[in-house]
Amino acid sequence: MDANRGARLGLTIALALYGFRLALHPGGGSLMDSVDLPIHETGHLVFAPFGEFIQFLGGTLFQLIMPSLFAGYFLRRKDRHAASCVVWWLGQNCWNISVYVRDARAQELPLVGGGEHDWAYMLGRFGWLPYDQSIGHAFWLVGLLLYVLAISGGLVALVSSPGVTQEPVELAAD
């Protein structure tokens, strides 16, 4: 096994182990929180021109959009392993979101700069606040599915590709 494949395998194993811990304790804090929180807060700014409700939703949307864009980028480059790592990040974001949704009624999580709780506002608008635990659990389940897809996809990418995937080379016709 070459060094690059070995490093990628090591990363996949590390993501599997770390992800397992995060799945069991999504509210326990994560190294990714310092990445996810600024992305979440930026989402509020990006979506502010589209109205109050979309602005509240924008934090969560941006947490899902950013990793999805990176996954698309790596898939376009035909680097399935790198894409699987970003799908892992997407799953981790779903776990992060699940904690926030489950806090909608209790509102015990500290909020950046105070203000209104995104999910309390959004669920309250539709009369769904009593379902915060179920909706939060649904986000957790989606995160779990993405985690399994990411880890299995990363392993399959390592086994099925003989080396690091690169852009296809076009051969000139004679």
Side-chain angles (χ1 to χ4, degrees):
M1 177 180 296
D2 65 45
N4 191 7
R5 284 174 73 111
R8 286 175 177 241
L9 177 60
L11 177 59
T12 302
I13 292 168
L15 290 176
L17 295 173
Y18 187 51
F20 185 74
R21 184 191 80 74
L22 292 177
L24 294 178
H25 308 286
S30 153
L31 296 172
M32 296 301 293
D33 287 348
S34 58
V35 175
D36 298 336
L37 182 60
I39 290 171
H40 176 94
E41 294 304 322
T42 301
H44 292 304
L45 298 173
V46 169
F47 288 96
F50 303 107
E52 184 179 60
F53 184 83
I54 298 299
Q55 179 180 5
F56 274 92
L57 182 59
T60 297
L61 283 177
F62 222 50
Q63 274 186 263
L64 300 173
I65 290 169
M66 290 306 293
S68 298
L69 289 174
F70 280 103
Y73 168 78
F74 287 121
L75 285 173
R76 185 177 164 107
R77 290 185 46 94
K78 301 190 183 336
D79 189 342
R80 293 181 301 151
H81 183 268
S84 75
C85 293
V86 194
V87 169
W88 179 93
W89 178 27
L90 183 61
Q92 176 271 328
N93 265 297
C94 287
W95 294 330
N96 183 286
I97 293 164
S98 79
V99 172
Y100 199 14
V101 174
R102 287 178 175 181
D103 185 59
R105 276 182 288 169
Q107 296 189 37
E108 294 173 348
L109 290 174
L111 302 178
V112 174
E116 194 163 359
H117 191 291
D118 297 349
W119 282 96
Y121 169 83
M122 291 186 295
L123 295 177
R125 278 282 298 270
F126 293 108
W128 296 348
L129 205 49
Y131 307 107
D132 62 344
Q133 300 303 301
S134 298
I135 295 167
H137 185 69
F139 269 102
W140 182 86
L141 281 174
V142 170
L144 187 64
L145 291 172
L146 289 167
Y147 163 76
V148 169
L149 177 67
I151 299 306
S152 59
L155 293 172
V156 167
L158 288 170
V159 169
S160 65
S161 23
V164 178
T165 55
Q166 299 175 357
E167 292 290 327
V169 177
E170 292 185 27
L171 300 175
D174 288 344

PDB file of all heavy atoms in Angstrom, residues 125-162:
ATOM      1  N   ARG A 125     -43.537  28.662  14.580  1.00  0.00           N
ATOM      2  CA  ARG A 125     -44.313  29.247  13.468  1.00  0.00           C
ATOM      3  C   ARG A 125     -45.316  28.261  12.887  1.00  0.00           C
ATOM      4  O   ARG A 125     -46.371  28.649  12.406  1.00  0.00           O
ATOM      5  CB  ARG A 125     -43.385  29.674  12.322  1.00  0.00           C
ATOM      6  CG  ARG A 125     -42.679  30.975  12.405  1.00  0.00           C
ATOM      7  CD  ARG A 125     -43.494  32.223  12.087  1.00  0.00           C
ATOM      8  NE  ARG A 125     -44.054  32.370  10.768  1.00  0.00           N
ATOM      9  CZ  ARG A 125     -43.479  32.943   9.737  1.00  0.00           C
ATOM     10  NH1 ARG A 125     -42.248  33.404   9.838  1.00  0.00           N
ATOM     11  NH2 ARG A 125     -44.110  33.055   8.594  1.00  0.00           N
ATOM     12  N   PHE A 126     -44.953  26.989  12.889  1.00  0.00           N
ATOM     13  CA  PHE A 126     -45.825  25.966  12.299  1.00  0.00           C
ATOM     14  C   PHE A 126     -46.604  25.170  13.347  1.00  0.00           C
ATOM     15  O   PHE A 126     -47.303  24.221  13.004  1.00  0.00           O
ATOM     16  CB  PHE A 126     -44.996  24.993  11.444  1.00  0.00           C
ATOM     17  CG  PHE A 126     -44.420  25.640  10.214  1.00  0.00           C
ATOM     18  CD1 PHE A 126     -43.063  25.894  10.124  1.00  0.00           C
ATOM     19  CD2 PHE A 126     -45.246  26.017   9.157  1.00  0.00           C
ATOM     20  CE1 PHE A 126     -42.535  26.500   8.990  1.00  0.00           C
ATOM     21  CE2 PHE A 126     -44.725  26.625   8.021  1.00  0.00           C
ATOM     22  CZ  PHE A 126     -43.364  26.870   7.941  1.00  0.00           C
ATOM     23  N   GLY A 127     -46.434  25.520  14.616  1.00  0.00           N
ATOM     24  CA  GLY A 127     -47.106  24.779  15.673  1.00  0.00           C
ATOM     25  C   GLY A 127     -46.474  23.409  15.914  1.00  0.00           C
ATOM     26  O   GLY A 127     -47.120  22.507  16.439  1.00  0.00           O
ATOM     27  N   TRP A 128     -45.212  23.255  15.537  1.00  0.00           N
ATOM     28  CA  TRP A 128     -44.528  21.961  15.647  1.00  0.00           C
ATOM     29  C   TRP A 128     -43.593  21.880  16.857  1.00  0.00           C
ATOM     30  O   TRP A 128     -42.860  20.903  17.009  1.00  0.00           O
ATOM     31  CB  TRP A 128     -43.710  21.678  14.391  1.00  0.00           C
ATOM     32  CG  TRP A 128     -44.509  21.531  13.128  1.00  0.00           C
ATOM     33  CD1 TRP A 128     -45.866  21.402  13.003  1.00  0.00           C
ATOM     34  CD2 TRP A 128     -43.985  21.479  11.804  1.00  0.00           C
ATOM     35  NE1 TRP A 128     -46.216  21.281  11.684  1.00  0.00           N
ATOM     36  CE2 TRP A 128     -45.070  21.326  10.916  1.00  0.00           C
ATOM     37  CE3 TRP A 128     -42.705  21.550  11.269  1.00  0.00           C
ATOM     38  CZ2 TRP A 128     -44.923  21.254   9.544  1.00  0.00           C
ATOM     39  CZ3 TRP A 128     -42.557  21.479   9.891  1.00  0.00           C
ATOM     40  CH2 TRP A 128     -43.652  21.324   9.043  1.00  0.00           C
ATOM     41  N   LEU A 129     -43.612  22.874  17.707  1.00  0.00           N
ATOM     42  CA  LEU A 129     -42.717  22.885  18.864  1.00  0.00           C
ATOM     43  C   LEU A 129     -42.830  21.619  19.719  1.00  0.00           C
ATOM     44  O   LEU A 129     -41.809  21.103  20.176  1.00  0.00           O
ATOM     45  CB  LEU A 129     -42.970  24.140  19.699  1.00  0.00           C
ATOM     46  CG  LEU A 129     -41.824  24.644  20.570  1.00  0.00           C
ATOM     47  CD1 LEU A 129     -40.518  24.757  19.820  1.00  0.00           C
ATOM     48  CD2 LEU A 129     -42.190  25.980  21.183  1.00  0.00           C
ATOM     49  N   PRO A 130     -44.030  21.047  19.909  1.00  0.00           N
ATOM     50  CA  PRO A 130     -44.116  19.809  20.686  1.00  0.00           C
ATOM     51  C   PRO A 130     -43.382  18.625  20.039  1.00  0.00           C
ATOM     52  O   PRO A 130     -43.159  17.612  20.680  1.00  0.00           O
ATOM     53  CB  PRO A 130     -45.626  19.525  20.757  1.00  0.00           C
ATOM     54  CG  PRO A 130     -46.284  20.827  20.494  1.00  0.00           C
ATOM     55  CD  PRO A 130     -45.371  21.578  19.580  1.00  0.00           C
ATOM     56  N   TYR A 131     -42.995  18.764  18.779  1.00  0.00           N
ATOM     57  CA  TYR A 131     -42.325  17.669  18.059  1.00  0.00           C
ATOM     58  C   TYR A 131     -40.809  17.883  17.946  1.00  0.00           C
ATOM     59  O   TYR A 131     -40.152  17.213  17.153  1.00  0.00           O
ATOM     60  CB  TYR A 131     -42.936  17.511  16.661  1.00  0.00           C
ATOM     61  CG  TYR A 131     -44.435  17.353  16.705  1.00  0.00           C
ATOM     62  CD1 TYR A 131     -45.261  18.393  16.299  1.00  0.00           C
ATOM     63  CD2 TYR A 131     -45.024  16.191  17.199  1.00  0.00           C
ATOM     64  CE1 TYR A 131     -46.642  18.270  16.363  1.00  0.00           C
ATOM     65  CE2 TYR A 131     -46.403  16.062  17.276  1.00  0.00           C
ATOM     66  CZ  TYR A 131     -47.199  17.109  16.852  1.00  0.00           C
ATOM     67  OH  TYR A 131     -48.570  16.985  16.928  1.00  0.00           O
ATOM     68  N   ASP A 132     -40.269  18.794  18.744  1.00  0.00           N
ATOM     69  CA  ASP A 132     -38.840  19.093  18.634  1.00  0.00           C
ATOM     70  C   ASP A 132     -37.962  17.853  18.837  1.00  0.00           C
ATOM     71  O   ASP A 132     -36.967  17.675  18.131  1.00  0.00           O
ATOM     72  CB  ASP A 132     -38.414  20.225  19.569  1.00  0.00           C
ATOM     73  CG  ASP A 132     -38.602  19.923  21.051  1.00  0.00           C
ATOM     74  OD1 ASP A 132     -39.331  18.964  21.407  1.00  0.00           O
ATOM     75  OD2 ASP A 132     -38.020  20.672  21.870  1.00  0.00           O
ATOM     76  N   GLN A 133     -38.352  16.976  19.752  1.00  0.00           N
ATOM     77  CA  GLN A 133     -37.547  15.773  20.007  1.00  0.00           C
ATOM     78  C   GLN A 133     -37.580  14.828  18.804  1.00  0.00           C
ATOM     79  O   GLN A 133     -36.543  14.282  18.399  1.00  0.00           O
ATOM     80  CB  GLN A 133     -38.032  15.052  21.266  1.00  0.00           C
ATOM     81  CG  GLN A 133     -37.958  15.896  22.530  1.00  0.00           C
ATOM     82  CD  GLN A 133     -36.554  16.405  22.814  1.00  0.00           C
ATOM     83  OE1 GLN A 133     -35.624  15.614  22.970  1.00  0.00           O
ATOM     84  NE2 GLN A 133     -36.393  17.712  22.881  1.00  0.00           N
ATOM     85  N   SER A 134     -38.753  14.652  18.222  1.00  0.00           N
ATOM     86  CA  SER A 134     -38.881  13.760  17.059  1.00  0.00           C
ATOM     87  C   SER A 134     -38.152  14.321  15.841  1.00  0.00           C
ATOM     88  O   SER A 134     -37.477  13.579  15.118  1.00  0.00           O
ATOM     89  CB  SER A 134     -40.352  13.550  16.704  1.00  0.00           C
ATOM     90  OG  SER A 134     -41.021  12.929  17.772  1.00  0.00           O
ATOM     91  N   ILE A 135     -38.282  15.618  15.607  1.00  0.00           N
ATOM     92  CA  ILE A 135     -37.610  16.241  14.466  1.00  0.00           C
ATOM     93  C   ILE A 135     -36.097  16.199  14.677  1.00  0.00           C
ATOM     94  O   ILE A 135     -35.330  15.905  13.756  1.00  0.00           O
ATOM     95  CB  ILE A 135     -38.135  17.668  14.236  1.00  0.00           C
ATOM     96  CG1 ILE A 135     -39.615  17.610  13.836  1.00  0.00           C
ATOM     97  CG2 ILE A 135     -37.306  18.399  13.177  1.00  0.00           C
ATOM     98  CD1 ILE A 135     -40.333  18.953  13.882  1.00  0.00           C
ATOM     99  N   GLY A 136     -35.670  16.471  15.905  1.00  0.00           N
ATOM    100  CA  GLY A 136     -34.244  16.375  16.220  1.00  0.00           C
ATOM    101  C   GLY A 136     -33.729  14.962  16.008  1.00  0.00           C
ATOM    102  O   GLY A 136     -32.630  14.759  15.471  1.00  0.00           O
ATOM    103  N   HIS A 137     -34.507  13.975  16.400  1.00  0.00           N
ATOM    104  CA  HIS A 137     -34.107  12.574  16.200  1.00  0.00           C
ATOM    105  C   HIS A 137     -34.009  12.246  14.717  1.00  0.00           C
ATOM    106  O   HIS A 137     -33.115  11.497  14.296  1.00  0.00           O
ATOM    107  CB  HIS A 137     -35.082  11.635  16.906  1.00  0.00           C
ATOM    108  CG  HIS A 137     -34.661  10.197  16.836  1.00  0.00           C
ATOM    109  ND1 HIS A 137     -33.558   9.708  17.513  1.00  0.00           N
ATOM    110  CD2 HIS A 137     -35.171   9.154  16.142  1.00  0.00           C
ATOM    111  CE1 HIS A 137     -33.412   8.424  17.235  1.00  0.00           C
ATOM    112  NE2 HIS A 137     -34.383   8.063  16.402  1.00  0.00           N
ATOM    113  N   ALA A 138     -34.906  12.812  13.904  1.00  0.00           N
ATOM    114  CA  ALA A 138     -34.850  12.586  12.454  1.00  0.00           C
ATOM    115  C   ALA A 138     -33.545  13.140  11.881  1.00  0.00           C
ATOM    116  O   ALA A 138     -32.896  12.496  11.039  1.00  0.00           O
ATOM    117  CB  ALA A 138     -36.059  13.219  11.770  1.00  0.00           C
ATOM    118  N   PHE A 139     -33.130  14.322  12.342  1.00  0.00           N
ATOM    119  CA  PHE A 139     -31.837  14.863  11.904  1.00  0.00           C
ATOM    120  C   PHE A 139     -30.698  13.928  12.330  1.00  0.00           C
ATOM    121  O   PHE A 139     -29.763  13.704  11.579  1.00  0.00           O
ATOM    122  CB  PHE A 139     -31.601  16.272  12.485  1.00  0.00           C
ATOM    123  CG  PHE A 139     -32.092  17.380  11.608  1.00  0.00           C
ATOM    124  CD1 PHE A 139     -33.279  18.027  11.892  1.00  0.00           C
ATOM    125  CD2 PHE A 139     -31.362  17.795  10.501  1.00  0.00           C
ATOM    126  CE1 PHE A 139     -33.739  19.055  11.096  1.00  0.00           C
ATOM    127  CE2 PHE A 139     -31.809  18.825   9.699  1.00  0.00           C
ATOM    128  CZ  PHE A 139     -33.002  19.458   9.988  1.00  0.00           C
ATOM    129  N   TRP A 140     -30.786  13.401  13.546  1.00  0.00           N
ATOM    130  CA  TRP A 140     -29.748  12.487  14.031  1.00  0.00           C
ATOM    131  C   TRP A 140     -29.687  11.237  13.144  1.00  0.00           C
ATOM    132  O   TRP A 140     -28.598  10.773  12.789  1.00  0.00           O
ATOM    133  CB  TRP A 140     -30.017  12.104  15.489  1.00  0.00           C
ATOM    134  CG  TRP A 140     -28.963  11.220  16.056  1.00  0.00           C
ATOM    135  CD1 TRP A 140     -27.786  11.607  16.629  1.00  0.00           C
ATOM    136  CD2 TRP A 140     -28.978   9.783  16.085  1.00  0.00           C
ATOM    137  NE1 TRP A 140     -27.067  10.496  17.010  1.00  0.00           N
ATOM    138  CE2 TRP A 140     -27.775   9.360  16.678  1.00  0.00           C
ATOM    139  CE3 TRP A 140     -29.887   8.823  15.654  1.00  0.00           C
ATOM    140  CZ2 TRP A 140     -27.461   8.024  16.860  1.00  0.00           C
ATOM    141  CZ3 TRP A 140     -29.576   7.484  15.844  1.00  0.00           C
ATOM    142  CH2 TRP A 140     -28.365   7.094  16.441  1.00  0.00           C
ATOM    143  N   LEU A 141     -30.854  10.704  12.785  1.00  0.00           N
ATOM    144  CA  LEU A 141     -30.891   9.512  11.925  1.00  0.00           C
ATOM    145  C   LEU A 141     -30.297   9.790  10.538  1.00  0.00           C
ATOM    146  O   LEU A 141     -29.556   8.960  10.010  1.00  0.00           O
ATOM    147  CB  LEU A 141     -32.321   8.992  11.781  1.00  0.00           C
ATOM    148  CG  LEU A 141     -32.869   8.176  12.932  1.00  0.00           C
ATOM    149  CD1 LEU A 141     -34.345   7.864  12.699  1.00  0.00           C
ATOM    150  CD2 LEU A 141     -32.073   6.899  13.138  1.00  0.00           C
ATOM    151  N   VAL A 142     -30.618  10.930   9.971  1.00  0.00           N
ATOM    152  CA  VAL A 142     -30.029  11.305   8.673  1.00  0.00           C
ATOM    153  C   VAL A 142     -28.511  11.392   8.819  1.00  0.00           C
ATOM    154  O   VAL A 142     -27.759  10.918   7.958  1.00  0.00           O
ATOM    155  CB  VAL A 142     -30.633  12.624   8.140  1.00  0.00           C
ATOM    156  CG1 VAL A 142     -29.855  13.143   6.933  1.00  0.00           C
ATOM    157  CG2 VAL A 142     -32.103  12.435   7.790  1.00  0.00           C
ATOM    158  N   GLY A 143     -28.058  11.971   9.931  1.00  0.00           N
ATOM    159  CA  GLY A 143     -26.617  12.035  10.193  1.00  0.00           C
ATOM    160  C   GLY A 143     -26.002  10.654  10.275  1.00  0.00           C
ATOM    161  O   GLY A 143     -24.913  10.409   9.754  1.00  0.00           O
ATOM    162  N   LEU A 144     -26.700   9.733  10.918  1.00  0.00           N
ATOM    163  CA  LEU A 144     -26.205   8.359  11.040  1.00  0.00           C
ATOM    164  C   LEU A 144     -26.106   7.696   9.664  1.00  0.00           C
ATOM    165  O   LEU A 144     -25.108   7.027   9.361  1.00  0.00           O
ATOM    166  CB  LEU A 144     -27.107   7.547  11.967  1.00  0.00           C
ATOM    167  CG  LEU A 144     -26.602   6.146  12.309  1.00  0.00           C
ATOM    168  CD1 LEU A 144     -25.300   6.214  13.091  1.00  0.00           C
ATOM    169  CD2 LEU A 144     -27.666   5.397  13.113  1.00  0.00           C
ATOM    170  N   LEU A 145     -27.124   7.882   8.832  1.00  0.00           N
ATOM    171  CA  LEU A 145     -27.086   7.313   7.479  1.00  0.00           C
ATOM    172  C   LEU A 145     -25.938   7.899   6.662  1.00  0.00           C
ATOM    173  O   LEU A 145     -25.235   7.169   5.950  1.00  0.00           O
ATOM    174  CB  LEU A 145     -28.419   7.554   6.770  1.00  0.00           C
ATOM    175  CG  LEU A 145     -29.612   6.782   7.303  1.00  0.00           C
ATOM    176  CD1 LEU A 145     -30.905   7.264   6.653  1.00  0.00           C
ATOM    177  CD2 LEU A 145     -29.440   5.289   7.121  1.00  0.00           C
ATOM    178  N   LEU A 146     -25.726   9.207   6.777  1.00  0.00           N
ATOM    179  CA  LEU A 146     -24.618   9.843   6.049  1.00  0.00           C
ATOM    180  C   LEU A 146     -23.267   9.344   6.567  1.00  0.00           C
ATOM    181  O   LEU A 146     -22.328   9.140   5.787  1.00  0.00           O
ATOM    182  CB  LEU A 146     -24.722  11.363   6.166  1.00  0.00           C
ATOM    183  CG  LEU A 146     -25.870  12.000   5.392  1.00  0.00           C
ATOM    184  CD1 LEU A 146     -26.073  13.453   5.827  1.00  0.00           C
ATOM    185  CD2 LEU A 146     -25.629  11.902   3.890  1.00  0.00           C
ATOM    186  N   TYR A 147     -23.171   9.143   7.876  1.00  0.00           N
ATOM    187  CA  TYR A 147     -21.949   8.610   8.487  1.00  0.00           C
ATOM    188  C   TYR A 147     -21.635   7.219   7.926  1.00  0.00           C
ATOM    189  O   TYR A 147     -20.506   6.953   7.502  1.00  0.00           O
ATOM    190  CB  TYR A 147     -22.132   8.575  10.008  1.00  0.00           C
ATOM    191  CG  TYR A 147     -21.164   7.707  10.762  1.00  0.00           C
ATOM    192  CD1 TYR A 147     -19.850   8.124  10.976  1.00  0.00           C
ATOM    193  CD2 TYR A 147     -21.554   6.477  11.282  1.00  0.00           C
ATOM    194  CE1 TYR A 147     -18.960   7.327  11.690  1.00  0.00           C
ATOM    195  CE2 TYR A 147     -20.677   5.685  12.002  1.00  0.00           C
ATOM    196  CZ  TYR A 147     -19.383   6.115  12.199  1.00  0.00           C
ATOM    197  OH  TYR A 147     -18.499   5.330  12.892  1.00  0.00           O
ATOM    198  N   VAL A 148     -22.624   6.348   7.899  1.00  0.00           N
ATOM    199  CA  VAL A 148     -22.420   4.997   7.369  1.00  0.00           C
ATOM    200  C   VAL A 148     -22.056   5.058   5.889  1.00  0.00           C
ATOM    201  O   VAL A 148     -21.130   4.372   5.431  1.00  0.00           O
ATOM    202  CB  VAL A 148     -23.672   4.116   7.605  1.00  0.00           C
ATOM    203  CG1 VAL A 148     -23.587   2.812   6.844  1.00  0.00           C
ATOM    204  CG2 VAL A 148     -23.867   3.875   9.097  1.00  0.00           C
ATOM    205  N   LEU A 149     -22.743   5.893   5.135  1.00  0.00           N
ATOM    206  CA  LEU A 149     -22.436   6.076   3.714  1.00  0.00           C
ATOM    207  C   LEU A 149     -21.015   6.594   3.527  1.00  0.00           C
ATOM    208  O   LEU A 149     -20.281   6.109   2.657  1.00  0.00           O
ATOM    209  CB  LEU A 149     -23.445   7.041   3.089  1.00  0.00           C
ATOM    210  CG  LEU A 149     -23.224   7.403   1.626  1.00  0.00           C
ATOM    211  CD1 LEU A 149     -23.454   6.187   0.740  1.00  0.00           C
ATOM    212  CD2 LEU A 149     -24.144   8.541   1.217  1.00  0.00           C
ATOM    213  N   ALA A 150     -20.613   7.552   4.342  1.00  0.00           N
ATOM    214  CA  ALA A 150     -19.280   8.139   4.221  1.00  0.00           C
ATOM    215  C   ALA A 150     -18.181   7.124   4.512  1.00  0.00           C
ATOM    216  O   ALA A 150     -17.216   7.000   3.748  1.00  0.00           O
ATOM    217  CB  ALA A 150     -19.152   9.334   5.165  1.00  0.00           C
ATOM    218  N   ILE A 151     -18.315   6.396   5.597  1.00  0.00           N
ATOM    219  CA  ILE A 151     -17.274   5.443   5.972  1.00  0.00           C
ATOM    220  C   ILE A 151     -17.222   4.289   4.971  1.00  0.00           C
ATOM    221  O   ILE A 151     -16.143   3.918   4.478  1.00  0.00           O
ATOM    222  CB  ILE A 151     -17.487   4.919   7.416  1.00  0.00           C
ATOM    223  CG1 ILE A 151     -17.425   6.086   8.414  1.00  0.00           C
ATOM    224  CG2 ILE A 151     -16.479   3.837   7.754  1.00  0.00           C
ATOM    225  CD1 ILE A 151     -16.175   6.945   8.354  1.00  0.00           C
ATOM    226  N   SER A 152     -18.375   3.736   4.630  1.00  0.00           N
ATOM    227  CA  SER A 152     -18.370   2.640   3.657  1.00  0.00           C
ATOM    228  C   SER A 152     -17.930   3.138   2.290  1.00  0.00           C
ATOM    229  O   SER A 152     -17.163   2.463   1.594  1.00  0.00           O
ATOM    230  CB  SER A 152     -19.737   1.954   3.596  1.00  0.00           C
ATOM    231  OG  SER A 152     -20.739   2.871   3.248  1.00  0.00           O
ATOM    232  N   GLY A 153     -18.371   4.327   1.895  1.00  0.00           N
ATOM    233  CA  GLY A 153     -17.956   4.897   0.619  1.00  0.00           C
ATOM    234  C   GLY A 153     -16.456   5.166   0.570  1.00  0.00           C
ATOM    235  O   GLY A 153     -15.810   4.954  -0.459  1.00  0.00           O
ATOM    236  N   GLY A 154     -15.906   5.640   1.677  1.00  0.00           N
ATOM    237  CA  GLY A 154     -14.465   5.875   1.735  1.00  0.00           C
ATOM    238  C   GLY A 154     -13.675   4.585   1.602  1.00  0.00           C
ATOM    239  O   GLY A 154     -12.674   4.521   0.884  1.00  0.00           O
ATOM    240  N   LEU A 155     -14.133   3.532   2.274  1.00  0.00           N
ATOM    241  CA  LEU A 155     -13.445   2.233   2.180  1.00  0.00           C
ATOM    242  C   LEU A 155     -13.565   1.644   0.776  1.00  0.00           C
ATOM    243  O   LEU A 155     -12.590   1.130   0.223  1.00  0.00           O
ATOM    244  CB  LEU A 155     -13.994   1.272   3.234  1.00  0.00           C
ATOM    245  CG  LEU A 155     -13.696   1.642   4.690  1.00  0.00           C
ATOM    246  CD1 LEU A 155     -14.445   0.725   5.640  1.00  0.00           C
ATOM    247  CD2 LEU A 155     -12.192   1.626   4.954  1.00  0.00           C
ATOM    248  N   VAL A 156     -14.752   1.737   0.187  1.00  0.00           N
ATOM    249  CA  VAL A 156     -14.952   1.227  -1.173  1.00  0.00           C
ATOM    250  C   VAL A 156     -14.077   1.997  -2.157  1.00  0.00           C
ATOM    251  O   VAL A 156     -13.460   1.407  -3.053  1.00  0.00           O
ATOM    252  CB  VAL A 156     -16.445   1.296  -1.577  1.00  0.00           C
ATOM    253  CG1 VAL A 156     -16.633   1.077  -3.066  1.00  0.00           C
ATOM    254  CG2 VAL A 156     -17.250   0.283  -0.785  1.00  0.00           C
ATOM    255  N   ALA A 157     -14.000   3.309  -1.987  1.00  0.00           N
ATOM    256  CA  ALA A 157     -13.159   4.122  -2.873  1.00  0.00           C
ATOM    257  C   ALA A 157     -11.696   3.699  -2.782  1.00  0.00           C
ATOM    258  O   ALA A 157     -10.995   3.649  -3.794  1.00  0.00           O
ATOM    259  CB  ALA A 157     -13.309   5.605  -2.539  1.00  0.00           C
ATOM    260  N   LEU A 158     -11.238   3.361  -1.591  1.00  0.00           N
ATOM    261  CA  LEU A 158      -9.848   2.936  -1.409  1.00  0.00           C
ATOM    262  C   LEU A 158      -9.591   1.565  -2.021  1.00  0.00           C
ATOM    263  O   LEU A 158      -8.530   1.321  -2.590  1.00  0.00           O
ATOM    264  CB  LEU A 158      -9.478   2.924   0.072  1.00  0.00           C
ATOM    265  CG  LEU A 158      -9.327   4.299   0.704  1.00  0.00           C
ATOM    266  CD1 LEU A 158      -9.201   4.171   2.213  1.00  0.00           C
ATOM    267  CD2 LEU A 158      -8.136   5.031   0.119  1.00  0.00           C
ATOM    268  N   VAL A 159     -10.560   0.681  -1.890  1.00  0.00           N
ATOM    269  CA  VAL A 159     -10.394  -0.686  -2.404  1.00  0.00           C
ATOM    270  C   VAL A 159     -10.540  -0.725  -3.918  1.00  0.00           C
ATOM    271  O   VAL A 159      -9.804  -1.437  -4.601  1.00  0.00           O
ATOM    272  CB  VAL A 159     -11.426  -1.630  -1.736  1.00  0.00           C
ATOM    273  CG1 VAL A 159     -11.470  -2.974  -2.407  1.00  0.00           C
ATOM    274  CG2 VAL A 159     -11.116  -1.769  -0.258  1.00  0.00           C
ATOM    275  N   SER A 160     -11.482   0.068  -4.450  1.00  0.00           N
ATOM    276  CA  SER A 160     -11.796  -0.045  -5.876  1.00  0.00           C
ATOM    277  C   SER A 160     -10.903   0.792  -6.776  1.00  0.00           C
ATOM    278  O   SER A 160     -10.861   0.554  -7.974  1.00  0.00           O
ATOM    279  CB  SER A 160     -13.256   0.332  -6.129  1.00  0.00           C
ATOM    280  OG  SER A 160     -13.463   1.695  -5.834  1.00  0.00           O
ATOM    281  N   SER A 161     -10.206   1.778  -6.241  1.00  0.00           N
ATOM    282  CA  SER A 161      -9.337   2.567  -7.112  1.00  0.00           C
ATOM    283  C   SER A 161      -7.881   2.184  -6.882  1.00  0.00           C
ATOM    284  O   SER A 161      -7.424   2.144  -5.760  1.00  0.00           O
ATOM    285  CB  SER A 161      -9.532   4.055  -6.913  1.00  0.00           C
ATOM    286  OG  SER A 161     -10.068   4.383  -5.689  1.00  0.00           O
ATOM    287  N   PRO A 162      -7.158   1.951  -7.950  1.00  0.00           N
ATOM    288  CA  PRO A 162      -5.775   1.511  -7.830  1.00  0.00           C
ATOM    289  C   PRO A 162      -4.836   2.573  -7.289  1.00  0.00           C
ATOM    290  O   PRO A 162      -3.786   2.269  -6.776  1.00  0.00           O
ATOM    291  CB  PRO A 162      -5.388   1.125  -9.258  1.00  0.00           C
ATOM    292  CG  PRO A 162      -6.341   1.859 -10.126  1.00  0.00           C
ATOM    293  CD  PRO A 162      -7.589   2.043  -9.337  1.00  0.00           C
TER     294      PRO A 162
END
